[in-house]
Amino acid sequence: MTVSSLFLQHVNGSVHKRPTTHRFDHFKTSFSSTLKPFFKELQQLPLKIDVSKTIRDASSRVLDAFVESVFQIVDQPLLPSQKNFGPVEELGEAVIVTSIEGEIPVDFSEGVFIRNGPNPLFGGLKSTESIFGRTSHTWIEGEGMLHAVYFKKAFSGGNWEISYNNKYVDTETLKLEKERNKPSFLPELEGDSLALLASLLLNKLRFGIETKHLTNTNVFEHAGKVYAITDNYLPLEVDISTLETFSVWNVNGTWNRAFTSHPKRDPESGELVIAGIDVKKPYFVVGVISADGTRLTHSVDAKFDKSVLSHELGVTRRYNIIMDYPLTLDINRLIMGGELLEYDKEGNARLGVMPRYGDSHSVQWFKVETSCTLHILNCFEDGDEVVVRGCRALTSILPGPRRGVNKFEWFSKGFKFVNSEKKDANDTTQDDGYLFIHVYEWRLNMANGEVREKKLTDTSFSMDFPFTNGHFTGLKHKYGYTQIIDSMASSTSGMAKYGGLAKLHFEDPNTTFSEEYENCEQPIKVKYHMFEPNNFCSGSVFVSKDEAVEEDDGWIVSFVHNEINEVSQVHIIDARNFTSEAIAKITLPQRVPYGFHGTFVPTPEEH
């Protein structure tokens, strides 16, 4: 059943109604005056016309008039401390970079460092006011924009030619709004329930879909092709050299649903393991794509009993790792006056281990402590155990406060640096720090069904956006990396800012361990690479040396923005001398807003 039909069935019954206000009288007057010229024009049309096309056009114009009369769309203002979350313009073509501090290593890989992130059209995120209530875009929304830095060796002297380009991911919904030259889709994730239902219905009636295809979360490579992706739509192939958007990737028509932002490659076969969520059954489907990207070789309904916003999945040599935590999308809950997306702190959490080509009956489920893990660092097999490592919080940063009320206050309190063990994300009288994130480990024993889980990091820093050497995905590994949340800067701005990087040494204990550590388990050794004050990063990735011997033979590359002089750079950090100053800082020709995930795509070798 579609959102539209659900809405039509329940709008006169169980939805919590809001009292009518004086705005309704204004709406009637405005709507009537908007439609009168249209009906006058309709009466003057020739008799011999395409009736079906006329009806479609008329319906579209009536709906547009209704929306424009009822919904007032306003900008969400940005504080000065939030300036680098604001959008930038497209460059149009690559620009040569001339300012480089330090030296790019001669053995650094030729290729493209590319990152995705939100870049809202028409000046920024929007909110609406209407007779139905209010809605607003959440912080994760905004059309996707790719930012790419190209590393190419000059023909002589071993010097580097560096260039930068940016470009919107050219989705069909972006094209539609560009043609209209105004915000057209109504926000449908955060706000009053009746207003959200109206937005979903009107988006569906006007455009054929309930929500925009933002495609702003990640960018990944498979079988020599590069794709931009977000969790609610299919990947879009992009030309790595020009950033031009090609068509959607539906694996030759065999995959017809959403596609996870974090697919994982089988460490031995090269197959790509994917998943897709939906608000209706089947809620969660796992798929396997051939190594050459041409065939969907396996697809299975995992038989979830609810729609979980499962942002990640993991792989080992033999298994797919499924995350099921109580962050759910529920249309019926919205119809009954609740939230569309909600985290239930009392709900159950579990991890599923599925054989690569298994079905729902072959999944071995492990119940774990209730929490939310949006990002997995890595998974691997260790004897009878499957080990899962990720960034775990006691609540979800998505979508934010209930109905989006007191948004700045909710995020500011959540980012404050305090003990995070006694938090309730919906209690406005609580202590602060409920968004604190630990690096965490689950050991799932496939032989006896037991679970061992523990924090791997202490309360020194909150960490997220983890990554590893990609050659060790699905394999036992010594190291991992995360971005470090600057708790003070994040609390001040009400938006997450990452003031440094962490290198995790999984096989080395923290020798400065204190018995006061909150769960009385020894954390692992962590090294830190901190940026200068008021400098914050995004899109960090590991780039391996071509002739690497050790797992950490390589570099960390990251977009870093200086909020004092408003200069954006790419930093290259030696992973083996992690605490040292960056060995190269590449100053970019324009500001790069904070964003989400990136990757490094090596230049293919010529044969």
Side-chain angles (χ1 to χ4, degrees):
M1 182 176 288
T2 65
V3 171
S4 305
S5 58
L6 281 169
F7 176 78
L8 290 171
Q9 284 186 20
H10 291 271
V11 71
N12 293 319
S14 57
V15 174
H16 292 187
K17 295 182 174 63
R18 294 170 58 90
T20 303
T21 69
H22 67 280
R23 286 181 297 178
F24 185 68
D25 293 330
H26 168 74
F27 151 67
K28 288 191 296 183
T29 302
S30 174
F31 188 50
S32 175
S33 63
T34 302
L35 291 184
K36 282 179 180 178
F38 164 67
F39 286 124
K40 184 177 181 180
E41 180 182 341
L42 185 63
Q43 291 172 344
Q44 298 174 357
L45 286 174
L47 293 177
K48 294 182 179 180
I49 54 177
D50 182 339
V51 176
S52 61
K53 182 178 185 301
T54 302
I55 292 174
R56 288 196 303 270
D57 292 344
S59 298
S60 177
R61 294 172 65 178
V62 168
L63 287 168
D64 282 348
F66 177 79
V67 169
E68 290 175 7
S69 299
V70 173
F71 288 87
Q72 180 185 6
I73 299 177
V74 296
D75 289 323
Q76 293 184 24
L78 288 175
L79 300 172
S81 61
Q82 299 172 337
K83 185 175 181 179
N84 199 47
F85 291 95
V88 294
E89 297 293 327
E90 288 182 322
L91 284 179
E93 60 183 15
V95 176
I96 297 297
V97 174
T98 58
S99 177
I100 301 175
E101 177 185 338
E103 293 188 1
I104 300 171
V106 66
D107 54 347
F108 192 81
S109 297
E110 289 190 282
V112 185
F113 173 38
I114 182 170
R115 197 218 69 197
N116 207 342
N119 199 80
L121 281 171
F122 310 114
L125 300 175
K126 308 298 180 184
S127 298
T128 69
E129 292 284 346
S130 72
I131 59 172
F132 306 110
R134 64 174 297 277
T135 65
S136 62
H137 286 139
T138 66
W139 62 273
I140 60 171
E141 295 182 88
E143 285 72 16
M145 176 175 276
L146 300 175
H147 300 266
V149 178
Y150 298 87
F151 293 82
K152 182 180 179 181
K153 287 183 179 177
F155 290 108
S156 60
N159 294 324
W160 286 91
E161 293 179 356
I162 308 299
S163 59
Y164 163 81
N165 197 8
N166 70 347
K167 190 172 180 59
Y168 275 111
V169 182
D170 206 9
T171 66
E172 291 303 315
T173 58
L174 180 137
K175 293 176 185 176
L176 184 150
E177 288 202 318
K178 278 187 172 181
E179 289 174 0
R180 288 171 163 248
N181 197 31
K182 61 183 178 181
S184 299
F185 280 83
L186 299 170
E188 78 303 312
L189 186 59
E190 176 182 271
D192 296 322
S193 56
L194 185 55
L196 293 177
L197 285 165
S199 297
L200 288 164
L201 174 61
L202 288 167
N203 286 343
K204 180 71 173 180
L205 291 175
R206 296 166 76 205
F207 310 119
I209 56 174
E210 292 91 345
T211 183
K212 284 196 289 188
H213 300 151
L214 298 175
T215 315
N216 66 9
T217 307
N218 200 3
V219 55
F220 68 94
E221 179 273 334
H222 185 63
K225 295 182 179 180
V226 176
Y227 304 92
I229 185 63
T230 200
D231 289 298
N232 73 339
Y233 192 52
L234 291 161
L236 286 167
E237 184 184 351
V238 296
D239 184 325
I240 195 68
S241 60
T242 66
L243 303 186
E244 178 187 357
T245 303
F246 296 150
S247 59
V248 297
W249 184 37
N250 57 16
V251 200
N252 292 319
T254 57
W255 186 263
N256 61 355
R257 59 172 37 232
F259 193 110
T260 178
S261 293
H262 294 280
K264 295 294 193 303
R265 187 172 287 112
D266 183 302
E268 295 178 345
S269 72
E271 295 170 307
L272 193 69
V273 181
I274 64 174
I277 61 174
D278 205 331
V279 294
K280 60 183 183 300
K281 290 183 178 181
Y283 295 122
F284 190 91
V285 175
V286 177
V288 181
I289 298 174
S290 61
D292 64 6
T294 62
R295 294 174 294 113
L296 182 68
T297 57
H298 185 59
S299 178
V300 58
D301 176 6
K303 301 294 185 183
F304 276 30
D305 61 1
K306 58 186 179 300
S307 178
V308 177
L309 183 58
S310 191
H311 180 62
E312 269 269 25
L313 81 164
V315 296
T316 69
R317 279 193 169 98
R318 294 181 293 167
Y319 300 112
N320 312 318
I321 312 304
I322 303 170
M323 311 290 291
D324 181 4
Y325 40 72
L327 176 63
T328 58
L329 290 152
D330 192 334
I331 294 295
N332 287 315
R333 180 173 62 213
L334 180 64
I335 289 170
M336 298 304 294
E339 304 290 316
L340 175 60
L341 177 63
E342 185 174 71
Y343 179 77
D344 179 7
K345 65 184 179 64
E346 303 295 339
N348 294 321
R350 59 180 185 164
L351 300 179
V353 181
M354 171 191 285
R356 180 74 75 245
Y357 279 78
D359 58 19
S360 61
H361 301 292
S362 65
V363 181
Q364 188 166 344
W365 289 104
F366 296 83
K367 186 175 181 180
V368 299
E369 293 182 12
T370 299
S371 61
C372 185
T373 301
L374 292 176
H375 294 125
I376 291 175
L377 194 150
N378 201 17
C379 308
F380 60 92
E381 298 165 40
D382 188 13
D384 288 336
E385 293 181 322
V386 169
V387 181
V388 181
R389 290 169 176 164
C391 292
R392 173 188 182 270
L394 294 180
T395 189
S396 173
I397 196 172
L398 300 174
R402 185 177 295 275
R403 302 201 188 288
V405 177
N406 298 324
K407 187 183 300 187
F408 177 84
E409 178 185 356
W410 189 86
F411 281 110
S412 295
K413 287 167 65 69
F415 287 125
K416 284 185 178 178
F417 181 80
V418 293
N419 188 314
S420 60
E421 286 299 295
K422 302 176 181 179
K423 311 305 169 199
D424 173 356
N426 295 317
D427 180 3
T428 58
T429 65
Q430 66 188 353
D431 294 332
D432 305 329
Y434 39 80
L435 294 176
F436 193 93
I437 302 172
H438 291 274
V439 177
Y440 203 80
E441 179 180 273
W442 296 265
R443 286 187 168 267
L444 315 174
N445 194 304
M446 300 294 290
N448 59 25
E450 292 181 354
V451 178
R452 291 188 294 155
E453 49 184 309
K454 65 176 181 179
K455 298 182 183 72
L456 296 179
T457 55
D458 59 22
T459 55
S460 297
F461 292 101
S462 181
M463 304 181 189
D464 202 0
F465 285 80
F467 56 100
T468 61
N469 181 335
H471 296 305
F472 287 80
T473 298
L475 305 175
K476 190 171 184 179
H477 60 123
K478 296 180 182 178
Y479 307 106
Y481 308 87
T482 68
Q483 294 181 174
I484 296 171
I485 296 174
D486 185 322
S487 296
M488 181 174 293
S490 300
S491 180
T492 300
S493 67
M495 302 280 275
K497 294 182 178 181
Y498 299 86
L501 300 163
K503 181 179 181 179
L504 311 168
H505 295 246
F506 292 108
E507 295 185 355
D508 298 324
N510 184 347
T511 56
T512 60
F513 165 65
S514 169
E515 291 298 330
E516 295 178 358
Y517 181 54
E518 57 203 67
N519 65 354
C520 298
E521 293 186 18
Q522 189 174 43
I524 61 172
K525 178 181 176 181
V526 181
K527 290 185 177 180
Y528 301 103
H529 180 97
M530 305 305 295
F531 304 117
E532 294 179 3
N534 300 300
N535 281 253
F536 307 100
C537 71
S538 67
S540 309
V541 300
F542 183 93
V543 180
S544 181
K545 290 184 178 180
D546 290 337
E547 305 298 329
V549 176
E550 298 294 333
E551 180 185 329
D552 59 348
D553 278 344
W555 304 271
I556 310 300
V557 292
S558 183
F559 286 95
V560 180
H561 181 73
N562 185 321
E563 293 192 348
I564 301 301
N565 59 23
E566 297 188 8
V567 169
S568 295
Q569 298 180 318
V570 166
H571 287 200
I572 301 177
I573 301 155
D574 187 338
R576 302 207 74 187
N577 295 292
F578 188 73
T579 59
S580 300
E581 182 73 10
I583 57 178
K585 297 179 181 179
I586 303 167
T587 298
L588 302 176
Q590 74 164 38
R591 177 174 67 87
V592 176
Y594 302 128
F596 300 139
H597 302 281
T599 190
F600 188 92
V601 183
T603 301
E605 295 183 5
E606 295 183 4
H607 298 284

